[in-house]
Amino acid sequence: MRTGIVIGLLLSGIVLIVACQSEDQLEFNRYYSSGRDVYQSKCQNCHGANGEGLQSLIPPLTDSVYLKANKTNLACYLKYGLKGKISVSQKQFDGEMPAAGIADIHLAEVLTYINNSFGNKSGVVNTQMVNEDVRKCN
């Protein structure tokens, strides 16, 4: 009987915590957790489990300066690939990243994950933002 009461109180506490999250926080949590799955299946093989990249071959995703400076281009890089020289963390990279081949919702999810992992903190990237950025791709 006593165990049932304790379990009931714990479940009630969990429900209250979840119910008290704002809609923005819930949206962020959805994008972030789904983005982690996309990252693990599409990006981690090259960029590493911790976004560290691969020496001078593949750039790290730990440079929030680069990510912030190229925020509106990141969806284009993922959607269409990236070729040519870039400078990340004061290192030059001259390779080719293939197009991710994923839907815009997954682009938004993985960008939310990358922009809020590996020492980065840039908030949610939603589908509307990705759609706007993709429309402006060169």
Side-chain angles (χ1 to χ4, degrees), residues 29-95:
N29 291 345
R30 284 190 300 267
Y31 276 85
Y32 184 87
S33 62
S34 296
R36 180 181 50 238
D37 296 339
V38 174
Y39 181 83
Q40 289 172 345
S41 68
K42 297 285 188 179
C43 311
Q44 182 172 301
N45 196 41
C46 294
H47 289 284
N50 299 311
E52 68 275 12
L54 183 60
Q55 297 176 10
S56 62
L57 299 174
I58 298 171
L61 301 174
T62 56
D63 186 346
S64 61
V65 172
Y66 180 85
L67 295 177
K68 287 178 184 175
N70 292 280
K71 188 171 186 149
T72 60
N73 297 321
L74 297 176
C76 297
Y77 298 164
L78 288 171
K79 187 164 186 90
Y80 300 113
L82 179 63
K83 186 176 182 179
K85 292 181 182 179
I86 62 170
S87 179
V88 180
S89 297
Q90 300 176 359
K91 291 173 83 176
Q92 295 293 317
F93 296 89
D94 188 12

